[in-house]
Amino acid sequence: MSSIQGNQEQLSLRLSEVLDDIGVSDEIIQKRRQSALFMESVYTVLFLLDNKYTTKYLFGSQSEGTTTEGINSDADVLFRVPDFNVINDWSHWKQGEVNLLMVQDQTIAPGYCLLQLLRSDVPLAAEYIPDGMYCIDNRGRVIMKNTAFHHIYVSRGMVQHGPAVMPPMRPGMIETDFVLALPCLQWPIEARRWLTRDNVGGWPSAHLKSESENCGCFLVPVDSKISGLVGGEWRISTTLAERHLMFSLNTIHIKCYVMMKVLLKSYDVFHDVISSYMCKTVLLHCVENTMVEFWLERNLIECFDKMLCVLYNFIAHVQCPHFIIPENNLMAGKISPLQQRRFLEILARIIRSEGRILLEIQIDSIGERIRQKFSRLPAFHPHIKSRLEMRRIVSGDLSYHSARSIVSYIKSYLNIDNGNCCENTIKQIVCSYGDILKLYPQLNNLQKKVVSYISLWMCTTIGSMIASYYISIHGRIPNIAIEWLQSGLNTDVSSSMLKLATVYYSVGNMNVTEDILTRIDQRYDRNVVLPVCGCIDNGGPVHKEGFVVAANNGQVTDFRNIVSYCVKFMYQEVNIVPSELRQEFFRSSQEEKQRRHPVYDRWMNYAVVDSLPYMYFLQYKVYSSQGKNEEKLRALQKLKNVLNEEQRIQHKETVFNLLGQCMEQENLPNDAFHYYERSLQVRFQHNAANFYRARLLS
């Protein structure tokens, strides 16, 4: 213990090593940012294809790379609503648009504003309320309510949480706060004063400030805690500029910020009062007011203590100035005198400890890890993961979420009302594919990578729809359908190839189907490939050893050779779908359909099955038709075993339904009934097993 107490430099170096071990390293920080920006790019590209000029931003700790497994930060999502021209100067008024003027006066809290509606024909204030989104304030101005978008939240079953809303939690989801915000290209005057503010160490530079200003700002629908106005105030948010600033900081800055969050999370009393945003504000003020040379690895404890002292001072005065708009006090109306005394007592004790308090931190086993670094004897702690293990786990998580974002949102984009396939439907998707190619030149590199993924999905969908359409009319597959399908074969390890195999199976070409299935089986390394489903996530580990090793060795956005998506058939593809899967289109009764969630249950309109069991099922069917009894029984046994051997199968009820029908075909009705019962144990409602069981009993 004395060696820990006596040498601040050694403690700083050991703490830095510990933070590297738990994923606060330059490599993992960059991977986290890359994954978040990739997912942002998915949304941006799909919105552009859908002619929605909105943008979805991922803000907060996840996108900044300032979280750990123990902190387990939630996700902050901001939707940029583009339908309004928000201005802070009359000269930016635009004819024919919905113009909103930012209004700030003595009655409005600093960092907040009202949004006054202007006329669209001439640059004058509006005099009449056009709809329920607006009201008249006490000065006779027509202003937009900050509850204007609540109807959107309610229609999607979301729950209000301050300015944000939270969707109903589903298994596998990261807790997420959603905010709809209005963009403004110009900063208000109180923010522009930051551009000329002096700093001690040259950060942020004039160039960085200029780039930050070019990010504009957002208007977030929430009242301040101190003004007394209700329902009309909007907070001025510079989150995009702040992310730009955070990306400019070095790893020591990030380590100090993460340590502050870990320390405060260790004390329940700070929860929901001292936010991570306040901690980030403390960091930015500290960096601005110190020399660059101060932020060195050997000074990590001293840097951390400085941040704690600044936080102590902010709480002592109940004054935490917003970094860009310092008149906005982030602590106003949020800390009671009793809480203030308690916070100051705890922080004083932490500061006096000169780093010894770090030994008590249980989050991410930081205290135990520091002791281990100072121990001269090798120690074995099975619950403490090594640096390599942590890198692999984090890389695997990021690759999984990146891969899932593609399949989740491309399937939403391709959402087409159920109905028979026709030429117009096919032309609609082909036109969308053309739109993708037109977008390509104007995109950045990350967005181009997203487009390359999306185009493969489009090719597969177009090919299978054409095949289904021609089979219904001509009973054959045209060459053009095969060409489209072959162009989309690399979406992942298996799903697009299974679509191609299904097309050949649907017209009885068993030899080609068998060849394709053999190729898939050879590509599908069960020790590496991770099943990923864009419909649901019922859990199961994503830390498969081979998968996390491969994810760690590459970029988190290069996942096509290590994931296997589920196979999804829209009704427009019904003529290529095996008869055993077609009842999945009608899984829900009319009463059950009324209870579906409009977003999270959309997948129930389709026939969906995980790739690996579907491959075994097709092998069973092909070998049955070829009279290869030994191979058929082997494939059937693999289908039976797959749910025990692969823990990330998501559509388990569908696998049981396929098994039940295989048992019927083997003339084993009792076994078939058993599998239908197991299917209903997984999902009692919205399950085609209700039909299969009734048919069997009849």
Side-chain angles (χ1 to χ4, degrees), residues 259-279 282 304 307-308 311-316 331 334-336 338-351 357 363:
M259 274 309 303
M260 177 171 277
K261 291 200 292 185
V262 167
L263 195 61
L264 297 184
K265 188 179 176 71
S266 301
Y267 293 88
D268 292 340
V269 69
F270 290 114
H271 289 188
D272 297 324
V273 182
I274 306 300
S275 65
S276 61
Y277 186 74
M278 291 180 189
C279 295
V282 168
F304 182 46
M307 287 182 60
L308 291 173
L311 178 61
Y312 183 96
N313 187 54
F314 284 172
I315 294 175
M331 292 182 177
K334 296 183 179 178
I335 301 178
S336 69
L338 182 62
Q339 288 174 320
Q340 181 191 31
R341 288 193 297 273
R342 183 68 178 130
F343 293 166
L344 294 177
E345 288 172 4
I346 294 173
L347 287 174
R349 179 157 47 87
I350 293 171
I351 294 168
I357 199 76
I363 294 173

Short mmCIF file of all heavy atoms in Angstrom, two decimals, residues 259-279 282 304 307-308 311-316 331 334-336 338-351 357 363:
data_model
loop_
_atom_site.label_atom_id
_atom_site.label_comp_id
_atom_site.label_asym_id
_atom_site.label_seq_id
_atom_site.Cartn_x
_atom_site.Cartn_y
_atom_site.Cartn_z
N MET A 259 -12.58 8.30 -16.03
CA MET A 259 -12.38 8.05 -14.61
C MET A 259 -13.36 8.86 -13.76
O MET A 259 -13.86 8.37 -12.74
CB MET A 259 -10.94 8.40 -14.21
CG MET A 259 -9.96 7.27 -14.41
SD MET A 259 -10.48 5.70 -13.68
CE MET A 259 -10.73 6.16 -11.98
N MET A 260 -13.64 10.09 -14.18
CA MET A 260 -14.61 10.89 -13.42
C MET A 260 -15.99 10.24 -13.48
O MET A 260 -16.68 10.14 -12.46
CB MET A 260 -14.68 12.32 -13.96
CG MET A 260 -15.73 13.17 -13.26
SD MET A 260 -15.65 14.91 -13.69
CE MET A 260 -14.37 15.46 -12.57
N LYS A 261 -16.37 9.74 -14.65
CA LYS A 261 -17.68 9.08 -14.76
C LYS A 261 -17.72 7.80 -13.93
O LYS A 261 -18.73 7.51 -13.27
CB LYS A 261 -17.99 8.79 -16.24
CG LYS A 261 -18.25 10.03 -17.06
CD LYS A 261 -19.00 9.72 -18.34
CE LYS A 261 -18.17 8.94 -19.31
NZ LYS A 261 -18.88 8.74 -20.60
N VAL A 262 -16.63 7.04 -13.96
CA VAL A 262 -16.57 5.80 -13.17
C VAL A 262 -16.68 6.11 -11.68
O VAL A 262 -17.44 5.46 -10.94
CB VAL A 262 -15.26 5.04 -13.47
CG1 VAL A 262 -15.04 3.95 -12.43
CG2 VAL A 262 -15.30 4.44 -14.86
N LEU A 263 -15.94 7.13 -11.24
CA LEU A 263 -15.93 7.47 -9.82
C LEU A 263 -17.31 7.92 -9.35
O LEU A 263 -17.82 7.49 -8.31
CB LEU A 263 -14.90 8.57 -9.56
CG LEU A 263 -14.51 8.79 -8.09
CD1 LEU A 263 -13.89 7.54 -7.50
CD2 LEU A 263 -13.56 9.97 -7.97
N LEU A 264 -17.96 8.80 -10.13
CA LEU A 264 -19.28 9.29 -9.74
C LEU A 264 -20.33 8.18 -9.80
O LEU A 264 -21.26 8.15 -8.99
CB LEU A 264 -19.68 10.47 -10.61
CG LEU A 264 -18.79 11.72 -10.49
CD1 LEU A 264 -19.35 12.86 -11.33
CD2 LEU A 264 -18.64 12.16 -9.04
N LYS A 265 -20.17 7.27 -10.75
CA LYS A 265 -21.11 6.14 -10.85
C LYS A 265 -20.98 5.22 -9.64
O LYS A 265 -21.92 4.51 -9.29
CB LYS A 265 -20.85 5.36 -12.15
CG LYS A 265 -21.88 4.28 -12.45
CD LYS A 265 -21.56 3.58 -13.76
CE LYS A 265 -22.54 2.44 -14.03
NZ LYS A 265 -23.89 2.91 -14.38
N SER A 266 -19.80 5.25 -9.00
CA SER A 266 -19.58 4.39 -7.84
C SER A 266 -20.35 4.86 -6.61
O SER A 266 -20.46 4.12 -5.63
CB SER A 266 -18.08 4.35 -7.50
OG SER A 266 -17.33 3.85 -8.59
N TYR A 267 -20.87 6.10 -6.64
CA TYR A 267 -21.64 6.66 -5.52
C TYR A 267 -23.08 6.90 -5.99
O TYR A 267 -23.34 7.75 -6.84
CB TYR A 267 -21.03 7.98 -5.05
CG TYR A 267 -19.66 7.84 -4.42
CD1 TYR A 267 -18.51 7.87 -5.19
CD2 TYR A 267 -19.53 7.67 -3.05
CE1 TYR A 267 -17.25 7.74 -4.62
CE2 TYR A 267 -18.27 7.54 -2.46
CZ TYR A 267 -17.14 7.57 -3.26
OH TYR A 267 -15.90 7.44 -2.68
N ASP A 268 -24.02 6.17 -5.43
CA ASP A 268 -25.42 6.29 -5.83
C ASP A 268 -25.96 7.70 -5.66
O ASP A 268 -26.86 8.12 -6.39
CB ASP A 268 -26.29 5.32 -5.03
CG ASP A 268 -26.00 3.87 -5.37
OD1 ASP A 268 -25.44 3.61 -6.46
OD2 ASP A 268 -26.33 2.98 -4.54
N VAL A 269 -25.40 8.45 -4.71
CA VAL A 269 -25.94 9.76 -4.39
C VAL A 269 -25.83 10.73 -5.58
O VAL A 269 -26.62 11.67 -5.70
CB VAL A 269 -25.21 10.34 -3.16
CG1 VAL A 269 -23.76 10.67 -3.48
CG2 VAL A 269 -25.92 11.56 -2.62
N PHE A 270 -24.88 10.49 -6.48
CA PHE A 270 -24.70 11.39 -7.62
C PHE A 270 -25.67 11.08 -8.77
O PHE A 270 -25.82 11.91 -9.67
CB PHE A 270 -23.26 11.30 -8.15
CG PHE A 270 -22.23 11.90 -7.24
CD1 PHE A 270 -21.28 11.11 -6.62
CD2 PHE A 270 -22.21 13.27 -7.00
CE1 PHE A 270 -20.32 11.65 -5.79
CE2 PHE A 270 -21.26 13.83 -6.16
CZ PHE A 270 -20.31 13.02 -5.56
N HIS A 271 -26.27 9.91 -8.75
CA HIS A 271 -27.09 9.47 -9.88
C HIS A 271 -28.21 10.46 -10.18
O HIS A 271 -28.88 10.97 -9.29
CB HIS A 271 -27.69 8.09 -9.61
CG HIS A 271 -26.66 6.99 -9.64
ND1 HIS A 271 -26.97 5.66 -9.58
CD2 HIS A 271 -25.30 7.04 -9.71
CE1 HIS A 271 -25.87 4.94 -9.60
NE2 HIS A 271 -24.85 5.75 -9.69
N ASP A 272 -28.42 10.73 -11.46
CA ASP A 272 -29.50 11.59 -11.97
C ASP A 272 -29.36 13.05 -11.53
O ASP A 272 -30.29 13.83 -11.74
CB ASP A 272 -30.88 11.06 -11.53
CG ASP A 272 -31.18 9.69 -12.10
OD1 ASP A 272 -30.76 9.43 -13.24
OD2 ASP A 272 -31.81 8.88 -11.40
N VAL A 273 -28.25 13.41 -10.91
CA VAL A 273 -28.03 14.81 -10.52
C VAL A 273 -26.79 15.36 -11.23
O VAL A 273 -26.86 16.32 -11.98
CB VAL A 273 -27.89 14.97 -8.99
CG1 VAL A 273 -27.73 16.44 -8.63
CG2 VAL A 273 -29.10 14.38 -8.27
N ILE A 274 -25.65 14.73 -10.98
CA ILE A 274 -24.42 15.11 -11.67
C ILE A 274 -24.31 14.23 -12.91
O ILE A 274 -23.95 13.06 -12.83
CB ILE A 274 -23.18 14.94 -10.77
CG1 ILE A 274 -23.38 15.70 -9.46
CG2 ILE A 274 -21.94 15.43 -11.49
CD1 ILE A 274 -23.60 17.20 -9.63
N SER A 275 -24.64 14.77 -14.04
CA SER A 275 -24.73 13.99 -15.28
C SER A 275 -23.36 13.86 -15.94
O SER A 275 -22.42 14.60 -15.65
CB SER A 275 -25.69 14.66 -16.24
OG SER A 275 -25.18 15.93 -16.65
N SER A 276 -23.27 12.91 -16.87
CA SER A 276 -22.04 12.76 -17.65
C SER A 276 -21.79 14.00 -18.50
O SER A 276 -20.63 14.33 -18.79
CB SER A 276 -22.10 11.51 -18.52
OG SER A 276 -23.18 11.58 -19.43
N TYR A 277 -22.86 14.71 -18.86
CA TYR A 277 -22.69 15.94 -19.64
C TYR A 277 -22.01 17.02 -18.78
O TYR A 277 -21.17 17.78 -19.28
CB TYR A 277 -24.03 16.45 -20.15
CG TYR A 277 -23.91 17.64 -21.08
CD1 TYR A 277 -23.46 17.47 -22.39
CD2 TYR A 277 -24.23 18.92 -20.65
CE1 TYR A 277 -23.32 18.55 -23.24
CE2 TYR A 277 -24.10 20.01 -21.50
CZ TYR A 277 -23.65 19.82 -22.80
OH TYR A 277 -23.51 20.89 -23.64
N MET A 278 -22.34 17.08 -17.51
CA MET A 278 -21.64 18.01 -16.62
C MET A 278 -20.17 17.63 -16.50
O MET A 278 -19.28 18.50 -16.50
CB MET A 278 -22.29 18.00 -15.24
CG MET A 278 -23.68 18.62 -15.18
SD MET A 278 -24.35 18.55 -13.50
CE MET A 278 -26.04 19.08 -13.79
N CYS A 279 -19.89 16.32 -16.41
CA CYS A 279 -18.49 15.87 -16.33
C CYS A 279 -17.74 16.27 -17.61
O CYS A 279 -16.58 16.71 -17.53
CB CYS A 279 -18.44 14.36 -16.15
SG CYS A 279 -19.12 13.78 -14.58
N VAL A 282 -16.92 19.90 -17.44
CA VAL A 282 -15.76 20.11 -16.57
C VAL A 282 -14.47 19.84 -17.33
O VAL A 282 -13.51 20.62 -17.27
CB VAL A 282 -15.85 19.19 -15.33
CG1 VAL A 282 -14.53 19.18 -14.57
CG2 VAL A 282 -16.98 19.63 -14.41
N PHE A 304 -6.54 14.31 -13.14
CA PHE A 304 -7.82 13.85 -12.60
C PHE A 304 -8.20 14.69 -11.38
O PHE A 304 -9.36 15.11 -11.24
CB PHE A 304 -7.71 12.37 -12.25
CG PHE A 304 -8.97 11.76 -11.72
CD1 PHE A 304 -10.19 11.99 -12.32
CD2 PHE A 304 -8.93 10.94 -10.60
CE1 PHE A 304 -11.36 11.42 -11.83
CE2 PHE A 304 -10.09 10.38 -10.10
CZ PHE A 304 -11.30 10.62 -10.71
N MET A 307 -9.62 18.05 -12.38
CA MET A 307 -11.02 17.97 -12.79
C MET A 307 -11.94 17.86 -11.58
O MET A 307 -13.00 18.49 -11.53
CB MET A 307 -11.23 16.77 -13.73
CG MET A 307 -10.65 16.96 -15.12
SD MET A 307 -10.96 15.55 -16.20
CE MET A 307 -12.74 15.49 -16.23
N LEU A 308 -11.53 17.08 -10.59
CA LEU A 308 -12.35 16.95 -9.38
C LEU A 308 -12.46 18.29 -8.63
O LEU A 308 -13.53 18.63 -8.11
CB LEU A 308 -11.76 15.89 -8.45
CG LEU A 308 -11.85 14.44 -8.94
CD1 LEU A 308 -11.07 13.52 -8.00
CD2 LEU A 308 -13.30 13.98 -9.04
N LEU A 311 -14.91 20.45 -10.51
CA LEU A 311 -16.28 20.00 -10.21
C LEU A 311 -16.69 20.43 -8.81
O LEU A 311 -17.82 20.88 -8.59
CB LEU A 311 -16.37 18.48 -10.35
CG LEU A 311 -17.74 17.87 -10.03
CD1 LEU A 311 -18.82 18.40 -10.96
CD2 LEU A 311 -17.69 16.34 -10.10
N TYR A 312 -15.78 20.30 -7.84
CA TYR A 312 -16.05 20.74 -6.47
C TYR A 312 -16.43 22.22 -6.45
O TYR A 312 -17.40 22.62 -5.80
CB TYR A 312 -14.81 20.50 -5.60
CG TYR A 312 -14.99 20.86 -4.14
CD1 TYR A 312 -15.32 19.89 -3.21
CD2 TYR A 312 -14.84 22.18 -3.69
CE1 TYR A 312 -15.49 20.21 -1.86
CE2 TYR A 312 -15.02 22.51 -2.36
CZ TYR A 312 -15.34 21.52 -1.45
OH TYR A 312 -15.52 21.85 -0.12
N ASN A 313 -15.68 23.04 -7.17
CA ASN A 313 -15.94 24.48 -7.22
C ASN A 313 -17.30 24.77 -7.86
O ASN A 313 -18.05 25.63 -7.39
CB ASN A 313 -14.82 25.18 -7.97
CG ASN A 313 -14.94 26.68 -7.93
OD1 ASN A 313 -15.03 27.28 -6.86
ND2 ASN A 313 -14.96 27.31 -9.09
N PHE A 314 -17.62 24.05 -8.92
CA PHE A 314 -18.92 24.24 -9.59
C PHE A 314 -20.06 23.92 -8.63
O PHE A 314 -21.05 24.66 -8.55
CB PHE A 314 -19.02 23.34 -10.83
CG PHE A 314 -18.23 23.82 -12.02
CD1 PHE A 314 -18.10 23.01 -13.15
CD2 PHE A 314 -17.62 25.07 -12.04
CE1 PHE A 314 -17.38 23.44 -14.26
CE2 PHE A 314 -16.91 25.51 -13.14
CZ PHE A 314 -16.78 24.68 -14.26
N ILE A 315 -19.94 22.80 -7.90
CA ILE A 315 -21.01 22.41 -6.98
C ILE A 315 -21.07 23.39 -5.81
O ILE A 315 -22.17 23.74 -5.33
CB ILE A 315 -20.78 20.97 -6.48
CG1 ILE A 315 -20.92 19.99 -7.65
CG2 ILE A 315 -21.77 20.61 -5.38
CD1 ILE A 315 -20.59 18.55 -7.30
N ALA A 316 -19.91 23.85 -5.34
CA ALA A 316 -19.90 24.80 -4.21
C ALA A 316 -20.66 26.07 -4.53
O ALA A 316 -21.31 26.67 -3.66
CB ALA A 316 -18.46 25.12 -3.82
N MET A 331 -26.38 23.53 -13.74
CA MET A 331 -26.82 23.05 -12.42
C MET A 331 -28.01 23.82 -11.87
O MET A 331 -28.50 23.50 -10.78
CB MET A 331 -25.66 23.12 -11.42
CG MET A 331 -24.54 22.14 -11.70
SD MET A 331 -23.22 22.24 -10.45
CE MET A 331 -22.13 20.93 -11.03
N LYS A 334 -31.16 22.18 -10.02
CA LYS A 334 -31.00 20.73 -10.03
C LYS A 334 -30.38 20.16 -8.76
O LYS A 334 -30.38 18.94 -8.57
CB LYS A 334 -30.15 20.31 -11.24
CG LYS A 334 -30.82 20.62 -12.58
CD LYS A 334 -30.00 20.14 -13.76
CE LYS A 334 -30.71 20.45 -15.07
NZ LYS A 334 -29.92 20.04 -16.24
N ILE A 335 -29.80 21.02 -7.91
CA ILE A 335 -29.13 20.53 -6.70
C ILE A 335 -29.72 21.20 -5.47
O ILE A 335 -29.70 22.43 -5.36
CB ILE A 335 -27.61 20.81 -6.77
CG1 ILE A 335 -26.99 20.14 -7.99
CG2 ILE A 335 -26.92 20.31 -5.50
CD1 ILE A 335 -25.50 20.41 -8.15
N SER A 336 -30.23 20.40 -4.56
CA SER A 336 -30.78 20.94 -3.31
C SER A 336 -29.62 21.23 -2.34
O SER A 336 -28.53 20.68 -2.48
CB SER A 336 -31.74 19.94 -2.67
OG SER A 336 -31.02 18.81 -2.19
N LEU A 338 -29.19 20.16 0.63
CA LEU A 338 -28.78 18.92 1.27
C LEU A 338 -27.87 18.11 0.36
O LEU A 338 -26.83 17.57 0.79
CB LEU A 338 -30.02 18.10 1.65
CG LEU A 338 -29.75 16.77 2.39
CD1 LEU A 338 -29.05 17.04 3.72
CD2 LEU A 338 -31.06 16.01 2.60
N GLN A 339 -28.24 18.01 -0.92
CA GLN A 339 -27.41 17.30 -1.88
C GLN A 339 -26.06 17.99 -2.04
O GLN A 339 -25.02 17.32 -2.11
CB GLN A 339 -28.12 17.22 -3.23
CG GLN A 339 -29.31 16.28 -3.27
CD GLN A 339 -30.07 16.37 -4.58
OE1 GLN A 339 -30.26 17.46 -5.13
NE2 GLN A 339 -30.51 15.23 -5.09
N GLN A 340 -26.08 19.31 -2.07
CA GLN A 340 -24.83 20.06 -2.22
C GLN A 340 -23.84 19.72 -1.11
O GLN A 340 -22.67 19.43 -1.38
CB GLN A 340 -25.12 21.56 -2.24
CG GLN A 340 -23.88 22.42 -2.42
CD GLN A 340 -24.16 23.89 -2.17
OE1 GLN A 340 -25.03 24.24 -1.36
NE2 GLN A 340 -23.45 24.76 -2.87
N ARG A 341 -24.30 19.73 0.14
CA ARG A 341 -23.42 19.41 1.26
C ARG A 341 -22.87 17.99 1.14
O ARG A 341 -21.69 17.74 1.38
CB ARG A 341 -24.16 19.59 2.59
CG ARG A 341 -24.42 21.04 2.96
CD ARG A 341 -24.86 21.16 4.43
NE ARG A 341 -26.11 20.46 4.69
CZ ARG A 341 -27.32 21.00 4.54
NH1 ARG A 341 -27.44 22.25 4.10
NH2 ARG A 341 -28.40 20.30 4.82
N ARG A 342 -23.74 17.07 0.77
CA ARG A 342 -23.31 15.66 0.65
C ARG A 342 -22.29 15.51 -0.47
O ARG A 342 -21.27 14.83 -0.30
CB ARG A 342 -24.54 14.78 0.39
CG ARG A 342 -24.24 13.30 0.30
CD ARG A 342 -23.83 12.75 1.63
NE ARG A 342 -23.60 11.31 1.54
CZ ARG A 342 -22.51 10.71 2.00
NH1 ARG A 342 -21.57 11.42 2.60
NH2 ARG A 342 -22.36 9.42 1.91
N PHE A 343 -22.54 16.14 -1.60
CA PHE A 343 -21.61 16.04 -2.74
C PHE A 343 -20.24 16.60 -2.36
O PHE A 343 -19.21 16.00 -2.69
CB PHE A 343 -22.16 16.81 -3.95
CG PHE A 343 -23.41 16.22 -4.54
CD1 PHE A 343 -24.17 16.95 -5.45
CD2 PHE A 343 -23.85 14.96 -4.20
CE1 PHE A 343 -25.33 16.43 -6.00
CE2 PHE A 343 -25.00 14.42 -4.75
CZ PHE A 343 -25.74 15.17 -5.64
N LEU A 344 -20.23 17.75 -1.69
CA LEU A 344 -18.97 18.39 -1.35
C LEU A 344 -18.17 17.55 -0.35
O LEU A 344 -16.94 17.46 -0.43
CB LEU A 344 -19.21 19.80 -0.80
CG LEU A 344 -19.78 20.82 -1.80
CD1 LEU A 344 -20.06 22.15 -1.12
CD2 LEU A 344 -18.84 21.01 -2.98
N GLU A 345 -18.87 16.92 0.60
CA GLU A 345 -18.19 16.05 1.56
C GLU A 345 -17.49 14.89 0.85
O GLU A 345 -16.34 14.56 1.13
CB GLU A 345 -19.20 15.50 2.57
CG GLU A 345 -19.72 16.52 3.57
CD GLU A 345 -20.86 15.95 4.41
OE1 GLU A 345 -21.18 14.74 4.24
OE2 GLU A 345 -21.45 16.71 5.21
N ILE A 346 -18.21 14.27 -0.08
CA ILE A 346 -17.65 13.12 -0.79
C ILE A 346 -16.47 13.55 -1.66
O ILE A 346 -15.41 12.91 -1.66
CB ILE A 346 -18.74 12.44 -1.65
CG1 ILE A 346 -19.82 11.83 -0.75
CG2 ILE A 346 -18.13 11.37 -2.54
CD1 ILE A 346 -21.01 11.29 -1.50
N LEU A 347 -16.64 14.63 -2.42
CA LEU A 347 -15.57 15.08 -3.31
C LEU A 347 -14.34 15.50 -2.51
O LEU A 347 -13.20 15.24 -2.92
CB LEU A 347 -16.06 16.24 -4.18
CG LEU A 347 -17.02 15.86 -5.31
CD1 LEU A 347 -17.53 17.11 -6.02
CD2 LEU A 347 -16.35 14.94 -6.31
N ALA A 348 -14.53 16.16 -1.36
CA ALA A 348 -13.38 16.56 -0.53
C ALA A 348 -12.61 15.32 -0.06
O ALA A 348 -11.36 15.32 -0.06
CB ALA A 348 -13.87 17.38 0.66
N ARG A 349 -13.34 14.30 0.32
CA ARG A 349 -12.67 13.07 0.78
C ARG A 349 -11.91 12.41 -0.37
O ARG A 349 -10.79 11.91 -0.18
CB ARG A 349 -13.72 12.11 1.36
CG ARG A 349 -13.16 10.79 1.86
CD ARG A 349 -14.07 10.16 2.89
NE ARG A 349 -15.47 10.19 2.46
CZ ARG A 349 -16.04 9.24 1.69
NH1 ARG A 349 -15.32 8.21 1.29
NH2 ARG A 349 -17.31 9.31 1.36
N ILE A 350 -12.50 12.43 -1.55
CA ILE A 350 -11.83 11.84 -2.71
C ILE A 350 -10.55 12.61 -3.04
O ILE A 350 -9.49 12.02 -3.28
CB ILE A 350 -12.78 11.83 -3.93
CG1 ILE A 350 -13.95 10.87 -3.69
CG2 ILE A 350 -12.02 11.45 -5.20
CD1 ILE A 350 -15.04 10.95 -4.73
N ILE A 351 -10.63 13.93 -3.03
CA ILE A 351 -9.47 14.75 -3.37
C ILE A 351 -8.35 14.57 -2.34
O ILE A 351 -7.17 14.46 -2.69
CB ILE A 351 -9.88 16.24 -3.50
CG1 ILE A 351 -10.82 16.42 -4.70
CG2 ILE A 351 -8.65 17.13 -3.64
CD1 ILE A 351 -11.51 17.78 -4.75
N ILE A 357 -8.33 6.49 -3.18
CA ILE A 357 -9.74 6.12 -3.33
C ILE A 357 -9.96 5.21 -4.54
O ILE A 357 -10.92 4.44 -4.60
CB ILE A 357 -10.61 7.40 -3.44
CG1 ILE A 357 -12.08 7.09 -3.13
CG2 ILE A 357 -10.49 8.02 -4.83
CD1 ILE A 357 -12.36 6.91 -1.69
N ILE A 363 -16.22 -0.90 -10.15
CA ILE A 363 -16.62 -0.88 -11.56
C ILE A 363 -15.42 -1.24 -12.43
O ILE A 363 -14.32 -0.69 -12.27
CB ILE A 363 -17.16 0.51 -11.95
CG1 ILE A 363 -18.47 0.80 -11.20
CG2 ILE A 363 -17.39 0.61 -13.46
CD1 ILE A 363 -18.99 2.20 -11.39
#
